[in-house]
Amino acid sequence: MRWWRPVPVSVLVVVLLVLIFISWGLFLFFYENWTASFFSLTRILSAADTDVHPSDTHPHAFNIHPHITNILSHTINITATDIAPRNNQANTADIPTNSTNTQAYGSPNTTTTTTTTTTTFPSSRVPQGAPSDAASDEECAEQYQGEGPMRRVVLWTPFWHSWDGWKGMIRDHGALREGRCATWRCEFLWGPNVTTAQVQEADAVMFFSLDVLMRPLPPRLPHALWIWLELEAPIISQMATPLWNQLESVGVFFNLTMSYHHLNPITALAGELVPLSTPQHCPISSTFYLDTSSPTYTSYSHHMHKFSHWLRENGVAVDGRLRDERDRRHGGLIHQPDDNTTLTEPLPEDYNEEGQGNETSLMEDNDFTLTAEEIALATRPRVAAWMASHCHTDSRREDLVTALQGFIAITTVGKCGELKCGENHMDDYCFRWLSASHLFYLSFENALCDDYHTEKLWIPLKYGMVPVVYGGPSYRHTLPFNSYIDVLKFPSAAALANHLLYLATHPAAYLRHLQWRRYWRVRRVLPWCDLCATLHRQTDPVRTTLTQWWTNTATCYEPPPWKQY
């Protein structure tokens, strides 16, 4: 007789389920207790995840950089409390289609759809939020335009010698209501087949500078404002000066000018920072320069005091853990060319501390929460990237890039580089692609002129790269301190390269330049917002001259002679 009997399968299944249940309970118990003192990376958000509009998503982006969307579970032992999670916000809008020849675009009366992603933390404390610049979610500093007439703008000339140029510009920036312009009742008409009757009904006729004489001028009516548009720096816009001079000589004049400069009647900004606390249902009131008296800026300044103290106390330990994390993810930092020479000692890390002061009484403790996004951004494996389509410029930026390449590896993209990406240097997908693996972006303008800050500044900021700026002197009025690195503060290419390499190898110090993202987000400004508002408030036609134009915009500077050492 056998002394054992086979155990029924049903009994084995029940026993197995009980063991699984007990194991899961033990895991949850220990997890709740352990994570209070561990930093848990529950989700990795790379730079390319941040503030990406759904309509911007490239079909191949995630195939090239699969780590952008991976959900990882890895622990870094960093004590972390007291800093607010960052809300990533993106606006979406429906884009109407246009006809083939005569094309029109209006702003339908629809509301903005908003998506918010919140990064959570395994901490018993409730993180502080950024201060609100608005009174409440029910109150707005400015209201959307209500009932009123629709203003019509006829874009009479091509844009950069092509009608398709307008198509892209209006498609991307012409939905004023969805783009949260307070004054939005404007429509745009363009194309080679715009009729005289349509021009007679227009409130404004716009001429792009270089194309102003590519077709006969339309009939001029007393009520219609003629607008001169120029988005480039004087080194480029002076090419159109003879055209304007020719028109003035025969009695043709313009009422208004529109450009990037704050002294123009109509400004066309390439970007701006919007506080994260701005209510989603409110229009955005663009200010040319950053409001340093706002609660958001004040809170940011206090935060930077605390961060500086935390960095002094904990920087060495955090650097080591972040470097280990970068090694785990990427296998190390790629920072030097093969023929690199020895670099000098790094500059002090607080070289760009303007506006911070020495207040230490604001600090309540030494522990900070590093967000999952910040960890991902600080541990990227490559140092710097540069993308450009004009290879010989007035600023001689190409010489500076060449000098820097003697010390650090720079990924160069576009007509002036080794790699190709997208249709042109303004392709957002290319910036997302670069931001997935690069710490810095060389935001070098083609001319050093006041207020001349192009997409080369704003798109890298949007996607989480620290901009290394080379342009006019007004960055400090446009961006919060420590959000960028100014080339002109360094005596040589070697000193600049050394500082970038110092930050790349000290990721905790690098995070100083990303703290602004806890308080603002980048908004690619719609250039038509100010135009539409001007047309609705303009009553008496005025007259501008070529001399006034140059007085307002032609403040530029000679590039410095770059020394390698």
Side-chain angles (χ1 to χ4, degrees):
M1 173 184 287
R2 290 186 299 177
W3 59 273
W4 61 275
R5 293 183 180 180
V7 179
V9 174
S10 60
V11 175
L12 291 175
V13 171
V14 171
V15 172
L16 181 61
L17 290 175
V18 170
L19 291 174
I20 292 175
F21 179 78
I22 293 173
S23 300
W24 180 248
L26 290 173
F27 169 77
L28 291 179
F29 172 79
F30 287 109
Y31 179 80
E32 289 292 331
N33 287 275
W34 289 350
T35 52
S37 62
F38 281 79
F39 178 84
S40 177
L41 271 178
T42 58
R43 178 171 180 172
I44 302 302
L45 299 177
S46 82
D49 276 317
T50 308
D51 290 340
V52 178
H53 291 237
S55 59
D56 288 342
T57 304
H58 192 281
H60 305 301
F62 300 142
N63 294 330
I64 296 177
H65 296 289
H67 72 273
I68 292 176
T69 54
N70 285 348
I71 298 177
L72 306 179
S73 179
H74 184 70
T75 300
I76 298 179
N77 189 7
I78 298 177
T79 303
T81 52
D82 259 7
I83 289 298
R86 179 175 177 275
N87 295 330
N88 299 327
Q89 302 162 340
N91 299 327
T92 59
D94 295 328
I95 304 299
T97 57
N98 298 313
S99 59
T100 303
N101 294 316
T102 300
Q103 306 184 47
Y105 192 98
S107 296
N109 188 9
T110 57
T111 58
T112 302
T113 301
T114 303
T115 302
T116 302
T117 302
T118 302
T119 304
T120 58
F121 303 91
S123 172
S124 58
R125 299 192 183 186
V126 179
Q128 302 172 355
S132 175
D133 283 347
S136 71
D137 283 349
E138 288 73 36
E139 298 178 8
C140 300
E142 188 173 1
Q143 298 296 324
Y144 283 110
Q145 181 182 16
E147 296 298 325
M150 184 71 74
R151 302 299 190 194
R152 170 174 288 184
V153 182
V154 170
L155 310 173
W156 182 253
T157 66
F159 184 64
W160 288 107
H161 314 317
S162 170
W163 291 109
D164 287 340
W166 289 125
K167 182 178 179 180
M169 195 170 181
I170 299 298
R171 178 197 62 210
D172 296 338
H173 305 293
L176 306 189
R177 181 66 168 85
E178 294 87 339
R180 300 174 69 179
C181 299
T183 304
W184 56 271
R185 290 183 176 274
C186 288
E187 61 180 1
F188 304 90
L189 194 68
W190 74 96
N193 296 328
V194 173
T195 66
T196 300
Q198 290 171 323
V199 173
Q200 291 174 342
E201 296 174 358
D203 298 280
V205 182
M206 180 169 287
F207 304 83
F208 180 62
S209 61
L210 291 177
D211 296 328
V212 67
L213 295 181
M214 282 195 65
R215 59 186 306 204
L217 298 177
R220 184 155 201 167
L221 300 175
H223 70 276
L225 300 174
W226 279 25
I227 301 173
W228 175 272
L229 172 66
E230 178 56 78
L231 301 178
E232 294 294 328
I235 190 64
I236 302 296
S237 61
Q238 70 179 358
M239 297 168 57
T241 297
L243 302 178
W244 189 333
N245 192 47
Q246 179 180 342
L247 292 172
E248 279 193 353
S249 67
V250 294
V252 176
F253 65 93
F254 297 93
N255 302 107
L256 300 169
T257 57
M258 179 176 176
S259 90
Y260 63 87
H261 200 283
H262 78 280
L263 292 179
N264 272 257
I266 307 172
T267 55
L269 302 180
E272 66 179 343
L273 295 183
V274 177
L276 295 180
S277 57
T278 303
Q280 291 299 308
H281 67 280
C282 295
I284 296 176
S285 300
S286 298
T287 56
F288 197 91
Y289 292 136
L290 193 66
D291 183 4
T292 57
S293 64
S294 68
T296 295
Y297 194 91
T298 300
S299 184
Y300 170 75
S301 297
H302 292 173
H303 170 82
M304 293 308 296
H305 286 304
K306 297 174 69 176
F307 186 89
S308 295
H309 179 81
W310 173 83
L311 190 61
R312 288 192 295 269
E313 296 292 328
N314 304 281
V316 174
V318 176
D319 275 336
R321 294 176 185 130
L322 290 175
R323 283 193 287 262
D324 289 344
E325 177 64 12
R326 177 155 51 200
D327 291 342
R328 186 190 69 81
R329 296 189 194 182
H330 306 290
L333 177 68
I334 303 171
H335 60 80
Q336 296 187 32
D338 294 336
D339 59 348
N340 187 29
T341 57
T342 302
L343 292 170
T344 58
E345 290 297 318
L347 292 179
E349 172 52 24
D350 60 353
Y351 84 103
N352 194 27
E353 294 285 328
E354 62 225 51
Q356 286 203 51
N358 296 311
E359 301 175 20
T360 57
S361 60
L362 298 170
M363 297 176 293
E364 299 177 356
D365 57 57
N366 297 333
D367 295 333
F368 272 63
T369 296
L370 300 181
T371 69
E373 179 195 67
E374 289 171 342
I375 297 297
L377 296 180
T379 55
R380 288 172 290 189
R382 295 181 179 272
V383 179
W386 180 58
M387 181 163 53
S389 59
H390 296 98
C391 307
H392 302 283
T393 61
D394 183 69
S395 67
R396 297 200 289 274
R397 64 186 181 190
E398 58 277 3
D399 296 340
L400 177 54
V401 172
T402 300
L404 287 172
Q405 285 177 314
F407 305 103
I408 56 175
I410 299 174
T411 302
T412 57
V413 183
K415 294 180 180 178
C416 310
E418 298 177 352
L419 303 178
K420 304 299 179 185
C421 177
E423 296 180 0
N424 54 53
H425 63 287
M426 297 181 65
D427 193 326
D428 269 36
Y429 162 67
C430 297
F431 285 96
R432 294 202 305 274
W433 169 59
L434 292 171
S435 68
S437 54
H438 292 80
L439 298 166
F440 302 97
Y441 185 83
L442 305 183
S443 300
F444 294 176
E445 302 294 356
N446 57 23
L448 310 182
C449 302
D450 283 346
D451 294 342
Y452 186 57
H453 305 149
T454 66
E455 79 289 338
K456 300 175 187 66
L457 171 66
W458 295 105
I459 305 182
L461 273 172
K462 175 181 176 182
Y463 292 120
M465 288 184 282
V466 174
V468 182
V469 301
Y470 182 45
S474 55
Y475 289 101
R476 62 190 181 91
H477 299 303
T478 306
L479 299 174
F481 60 88
N482 280 335
S483 62
Y484 63 94
I485 295 171
D486 192 346
V487 164
L488 297 179
K489 288 183 176 288
F490 296 86
S492 66
L496 173 58
N498 197 35
H499 188 69
L500 298 182
L501 186 55
Y502 173 80
L503 293 175
T505 53
H506 294 76
Y510 172 82
L511 284 173
R512 181 197 303 271
H513 299 287
L514 297 180
Q515 297 306 300
W516 68 270
R517 296 173 67 81
R518 296 172 180 262
Y519 295 88
W520 292 275
R521 68 176 178 87
V522 171
R523 176 183 183 237
R524 297 295 307 283
V525 179
L526 308 182
W528 310 117
C529 285
D530 196 31
L531 169 64
C532 190
T534 299
L535 294 183
H536 278 274
R537 67 172 177 260
Q538 190 81 24
T539 55
D540 300 324
V542 295
R543 177 171 180 167
T544 189
T545 66
L546 181 60
T547 300
Q548 289 173 316
W549 160 260
W550 277 109
T551 299
N552 287 343
T553 60
T555 305
C556 296
Y557 308 89
E558 285 292 324
W562 274 102
K563 299 182 297 182
Q564 193 165 14
Y565 293 96

